[in-house]
Amino acid sequence: MTSAHSRVSFSGIKPSGEVHLGNYIGAVKQWVTFQENMKPGDVLIFPIVDLHAITVPFEPLELRERLVDLVCWLMASGLDPKKVIMFVQSENPDHPYLAWLFNCITPMGWLERMTQYKDKARVQGQRVSVGLFDYPSLMAADILLYDTHDVPVGEDQKQHVELARNIAERFNRLYGQTFQVPNVVLKQEGARLMSLQDPTKKMSKSDEDKAGCILLKDDADTIRQKIKRAVTDSGNEIHAGKDKPALTNLMVIYSEFSGKSLQEIEALYQGKGYNEFKLDLAEIVVEGFAPVQEKYRALKKDQAAVGRALSDGLKNARAISSEKIKQVQKAMGLEK
Ligand code: AMP
Ligand code: TRP
């Protein structure tokens, strides 16, 4: 249960596709830092949001497998199920229940403005699902069920978290103070990692150009190849800036793995060229991934640990969300 003094952080990840460097740097690494800086009473909640994954076409046989795989990657990256709550969203019916209630107070116009929906709908046309349109309402339910203060996400999710804020404020106005209004937490650098093949597009698992996206499971040679083939900007000197979007993106990756600032990296590579920088970057990423990949392989053989993490997580999540649902039902006149 959350106490009056606890600070709640919440973020979800979809079990669709493979986990990539954008997820890792923009979100997962940030969650691990939250865990490291946790104070007594803080609550960290990181569900696998499978109900969001099914808003686009998917393969049923793959869903559970991907889900378990994702939990292994999250634990291998450093999330400790004894410290944070991890669970499967579809196993907690409070989420879609609250999403329905939110559907009834959310104007269509708010959802029609969501850029992620507009982008996907443009591609899918009339086949686009109602679920995809309603995706942000479910996401608001995820966040608001736990009286979340902070939502650490990548930049692409900022608009959705702002919508959750609007829904919380509207509900509180209509039915009385019920929900904490959450804040989005973005990293200063790395909140939007771009494709290695096109610095105008974000790194994404759905990217047709696989060379632009480094996967957590990529072996050392694949990582080296992808970094070697990464596009660069004109010129040859190592400096970050708007005029060098491709190189800046690579420098952000370097910074994330080495702990050095962009300025420090510039100083380190003064008088050196792209090639040397890329060779070093590849080794830094390979070394950074090695312990994560090793832990992942061990966890894949210990499915019991994953099962335990998810069932403990579900119990803890429901203990919080079921109380919130009672409060909401009372506020809306839905109680028995
Ligand atoms: P998803 O895989 O879409 O469920 O996203 C999980 C998390 O990774 C979310 O917080 C996203 O904002 C974040 N994320 C996804 N792609 C990127 C990217 N290219 N750069 C930074 N963060 C990202
Ligand atoms: N929509 C998010 C994404 O694509 C995943 C997500 C679902 C989420 N519910 C959430 C993130 C609640 C933060 C909080 O990445």
Side-chain angles (χ1 to χ4, degrees):
M1 197 81 24
T2 61
S3 76
H5 304 292
S6 60
R7 195 162 182 93
V8 180
S9 305
F10 183 104
S11 197
I13 183 163
K14 295 191 294 281
S16 48
E18 304 281 355
V19 197
H20 58 77
L21 193 58
N23 299 135
Y24 183 70
I25 289 181
V28 179
K29 228 167 145 262
Q30 205 185 174
W31 305 350
V32 174
T33 308
F34 270 57
Q35 177 184 285
E36 282 162 1
N37 298 333
M38 225 174 150
K39 295 192 192 66
D42 284 354
V43 181
L44 305 188
I45 312 174
F46 302 119
I48 313 298
V49 289
D50 52 346
L51 295 177
H52 280 106
I54 63 170
T55 56
V56 292
F58 69 102
E59 184 51 63
L61 289 174
E62 279 178 9
L63 196 59
R64 185 75 200 178
E65 200 181 313
R66 285 198 187 284
L67 194 152
V68 171
D69 200 59
L70 179 55
V71 179
C72 291
W73 280 120
L74 294 179
M75 287 168 67
S77 301
L79 290 182
D80 177 354
K82 292 211 168 59
K83 296 184 182 153
V84 307
I85 299 177
M86 282 194 259
F87 68 101
V88 179
Q89 180 196 35
S90 66
E91 292 175 12
N92 184 352
D94 293 338
H95 291 239
Y97 180 92
L98 185 60
W100 178 258
L101 303 184
F102 285 167
N103 282 343
C104 300
I105 63 156
T106 304
M108 290 283 280
W110 289 9
L111 292 176
E112 279 165 353
R113 272 200 298 277
M114 295 293 110
T115 56
Q116 190 163 302
Y117 169 73
K118 284 195 283 188
D119 290 346
K120 291 195 182 169
R122 205 173 297 128
V123 178
Q124 296 187 18
Q126 281 298 304
R127 285 172 298 121
V128 70
S129 71
V130 175
L132 191 70
F133 181 69
D134 198 34
Y135 181 117
S137 171
L138 177 60
M139 183 160 158
D142 295 342
I143 297 169
L144 300 181
L145 263 178
Y146 300 90
D147 279 332
T148 300
H149 299 84
D150 297 318
V151 188
V153 281
E155 213 258 341
D156 61 342
Q157 297 303 313
K158 187 167 173 241
Q159 195 185 31
H160 289 158
V161 180
E162 277 160 7
L163 185 87
R165 287 175 63 89
N166 293 337
I167 292 177
E169 281 162 356
R170 186 174 174 92
F171 190 103
N172 290 346
R173 209 168 41 244
L174 288 171
Y175 304 115
Q177 180 61 40
T178 309
F179 293 110
Q180 170 74 34
V181 180
N183 302 307
V184 65
V185 181
L186 297 178
K187 284 177 103 154
Q188 229 169 4
E189 304 283 354
R192 189 173 176 81
L193 210 65
M194 308 311 276
S195 161
L196 302 187
Q197 289 298 314
D198 181 354
T200 64
K201 284 204 306 214
K202 74 168 182 185
M203 186 178 283
S204 149
K205 38 197 158 197
S206 54
D207 205 336
E208 328 77 71
D209 192 350
K210 298 281 175 266
C213 178
I214 295 182
L215 303 177
L216 252 62
K217 67 164 196 194
D218 280 345
D219 61 26
D221 281 341
T222 308
I223 295 172
R224 289 190 187 106
Q225 274 298 323
K226 286 181 179 175
I227 292 180
K228 190 173 166 199
R229 286 184 49 202
V231 298
T232 40
D233 315 279
S234 56
N236 198 32
E237 74 281 18
I238 306 299
H239 87 85
K242 286 211 167 36
D243 55 327
K244 290 205 179 220
L247 180 68
T248 305
N249 194 45
L250 295 177
M251 288 174 73
V252 167
I253 300 173
Y254 192 117
S255 167
E256 284 291 329
F257 280 89
S258 66
K260 291 187 169 62
S261 69
L262 297 182
Q263 288 80 354
E264 285 171 321
I265 298 167
E266 285 176 355
L268 200 60
Y269 286 91
Q270 211 173 13
K272 297 180 183 164
Y274 287 164
N275 269 349
E276 193 167 347
F277 169 77
K278 276 182 164 184
L279 285 172
D280 289 352
L281 173 61
E283 293 319 306
I284 289 177
V285 175
V286 167
E287 270 172 44
F289 272 6
V292 178
Q293 293 178 334
E294 198 177 313
K295 267 199 239 156
Y296 166 82
R297 282 191 290 271
L299 280 161
K300 282 292 268 189
K301 291 193 207 121
D302 187 5
Q303 301 281 307
V306 174
R308 246 183 344 261
L310 293 178
S311 62
D312 289 352
L314 181 63
K315 218 171 358 159
N316 290 329
R318 291 211 74 177
I320 304 170
S321 65
S322 61
E323 286 302 312
K324 190 48 117 190
I325 290 293
K326 279 189 210 148
Q327 228 180 309
V328 173
Q329 287 171 326
K330 190 156 182 236
M332 291 182 84
L334 292 166
E335 63 187 333
K336 273 192 268 188

